[in-house]
Amino acid sequence: MIETRALTKTFGLQPVLRGVDLTIARGERVALMGPNGAGKTTLLRIIATLARASFGAVRVAGHSLPHEAEQVRRRLGVIAHHPLLYGDLTAEENLRFYARMYGLADDGAHLGRLLERVGLAARRRDLVRTFSRGMQQRLAIARGLLHSPDVLLLDEPYTGLDPAGAQLLDEVVRAATARGCTILMTTHDLEHGFALAQRAVILVRGKIVFSARADEMTPAEFARHYEQHTGARP
Amino acid sequence: MNSTPAPDLSSPPEAAHAPEQPALAAAGPLASYWRSVLAILWKDLAAEFRSKELISAMLVFSLLVVLIFNFALQLDRVARENVAAGVLWVTAVFSGTLGLNRSLALEKDRGSLDGLLLTPVDRSALYFGKMLGNWFFMLIVQAIILPVFAVLYNLPMLTPLLLVFVVLGTLGYAGVGTLLASMAVHSRSRDVMLPILLLPVALPVLVAAVQGSGGVLEKRAWDEISLWFNVLAVYDVIFIAVAYMAFDYVVEE
């Protein structure tokens, strides 16, 4: 579902990604971890069509980038630490705006169900700028799921979420993979990421240095690998 | 203090969160394209009419410029007629640049630009949506400034032909300005960068708008003014066509 081959990205002379080979199967949940500056967000932005690779091949949902970016975006959902919302619109207006941009019918019931799901039905007519950080992040979850994407990219999605919000996101992620959605998530929270993922990948200085199935090792073993490869205590 | 009820998490995850496949809008490619353009325009207008962030800044700036010129240039009627068009377009250009800069900077700073770029619409639809919004804001400011201008300068500013020049001039400026503001927004010195990029490029539009408006105020014959009308119309088409083709490359990282 997601495939990168020899993916390289440089900013000026500075290499950020150095030949990343990554294959993620349909319905798989992969956590991408690594220290700051490892290139996690850059990798996600290239897969999300927000940036172009300097070299290498990227395929998402059977479409190659950058030539078929529009088809990729149609099947892609993104939940990032920035909620990507408009503070001067209400929660419902934000979802309606994005629904129109994704070519969905004006279906108030669908938006209502999503708002109900993320616990914001009672605040649907309130301006988003009056929401707390956690509430904005919940609305961002609804925005990411609006068009029922086949691939979900999560970039530090737990930022600002309270425990109930984090639990909601865990359940959304598990439910999405249960219906065949492929998930690639970056996180600094090793324990949480490892517990949620089916496969954990460590990226250091733009290269994948470790990849293992989560059911083949304990969290403590993974933490040891992380420390060994990054030099940082988790 | 914001509070919201915690979501009901008691049901099994798959049942609780399996999203129903949302229905697609029954629209052809062209209708979908314009639906996206209008969605962006509606979003910008709705957000602006609540925050009044852009229009108030543009309007206050425009009023100040008009007032300062009025007091600085103690002119007789003939001299006023000669400089009025220039003052009008200096006001429109500076307040328009302010609006263009803020319009894109707000999207970038709040992270919502990525949200727009992630949607599966042709990038030119994003351009047209933002451009129409910027143009509309410039027109609103002009609609308020022109009567003030008419009173202060004692000139007939609300003649139909002058309004045509205002509409076409602001269209061309917003057309090329939206493209260049999308480029400048990625720069750290974007506040300085946009005028430096925009003013030389938009010069043909500004010259035609000033000459045409001046001709109307001086009550010149249509034969003398029509040249500037044609120049303005042609440059509007060229600028918008170039922006339509280039926007995809400009907004990419």
Side-chain angles (χ1 to χ4, degrees), chain A residues 7 16-21 32-33 38-39 201-210:
Chain A
L7 179 60
V16 179
L17 296 174
R18 298 182 298 160
V20 173
D21 292 317
L32 183 65
M33 293 179 247
V201 173
I202 299 174
L203 190 73
V204 178
R205 280 188 235 105
K207 278 188 93 71
I208 291 179
V209 294
F210 181 80

Side-chain angles (χ1 to χ4, degrees), chain B residues 40-78:
Chain B
I40 296 168
L41 178 62
W42 167 84
K43 179 266 294 175
D44 278 353
L45 297 187
E48 180 55 27
F49 286 129
R50 282 180 190 143
S51 70
K52 297 174 185 68
E53 210 167 324
L54 276 180
I55 288 182
S56 58
M58 291 166 74
L59 193 58
V60 168
F61 184 83
S62 299
L63 284 170
L64 284 173
V65 172
V66 170
L67 281 171
I68 288 167
F69 271 113
N70 182 50
F71 291 120
L73 307 171
Q74 297 289 332
L75 303 168
D76 58 34
R77 181 174 173 86
V78 177

Side-chain angles (χ1 to χ4, degrees), chain A residues 29-33 183-187 193-194 197-202:
Chain A
R29 286 193 302 269
V30 174
L32 183 65
M33 293 179 247
I183 291 177
L184 177 59
M185 171 176 70
T186 71
T187 179
F194 188 78
Q198 294 162 330
R199 183 151 62 100
V201 173
I202 299 174

Side-chain angles (χ1 to χ4, degrees), chain B residues 22 25 35 85 90 97 122 130 150 241:
Chain B
R35 194 169 176 256
V90 165
T97 308
D122 193 293
K130 294 300 295 180

Side-chain angles (χ1 to χ4, degrees), chain A residues 73-174:
Chain A
R73 288 197 289 267
R74 201 169 292 287
R75 302 181 64 181
L76 194 76
V78 175
I79 301 171
H81 51 278
H82 286 301
L84 314 182
L85 298 167
Y86 294 93
D88 292 311
L89 301 184
T90 67
E92 193 174 53
E93 285 170 344
N94 265 285
L95 293 189
R96 182 165 295 126
F97 166 66
Y98 277 109
R100 285 177 186 162
M101 296 299 285
Y102 279 95
L104 306 182
D106 271 331
D107 181 359
H110 175 60
L111 304 187
R113 279 193 298 273
L114 277 170
L115 286 165
E116 191 80 46
R117 217 170 272 163
V118 297
L120 291 173
R123 303 289 302 266
R124 64 193 301 161
R125 293 202 170 86
D126 290 350
L127 295 182
V128 168
R129 69 171 131 90
T130 67
F131 285 12
S132 67
R133 180 78 178 84
M135 288 162 70
Q136 290 189 17
Q137 198 60 7
R138 281 192 204 181
L139 187 58
I141 295 171
R143 183 194 48 74
L145 297 175
L146 192 64
H147 55 298
S148 194
D150 297 320
V151 177
L152 200 51
L153 302 178
L154 310 174
D155 187 13
E156 301 289 349
Y158 293 95
T159 309
L161 281 176
D162 58 13
Q167 192 186 343
L168 168 75
L169 182 56
D170 286 354
E171 296 197 4
V172 161
V173 165
R174 289 201 174 93

Side-chain angles (χ1 to χ4, degrees), chain B residues 69-111:
Chain B
F69 271 113
N70 182 50
F71 291 120
L73 307 171
Q74 297 289 332
L75 303 168
D76 58 34
R77 181 174 173 86
V78 177
R80 265 205 308 267
E81 278 175 5
N82 288 338
V83 299
V87 174
L88 176 69
W89 284 101
V90 165
T91 311
V93 162
F94 286 147
S95 69
T97 308
L98 196 69
L100 287 165
N101 227 341
R102 291 297 298 151
S103 158
L104 270 297
L106 286 174
E107 296 269 9
K108 175 82 175 165
D109 294 347
R110 292 172 182 166

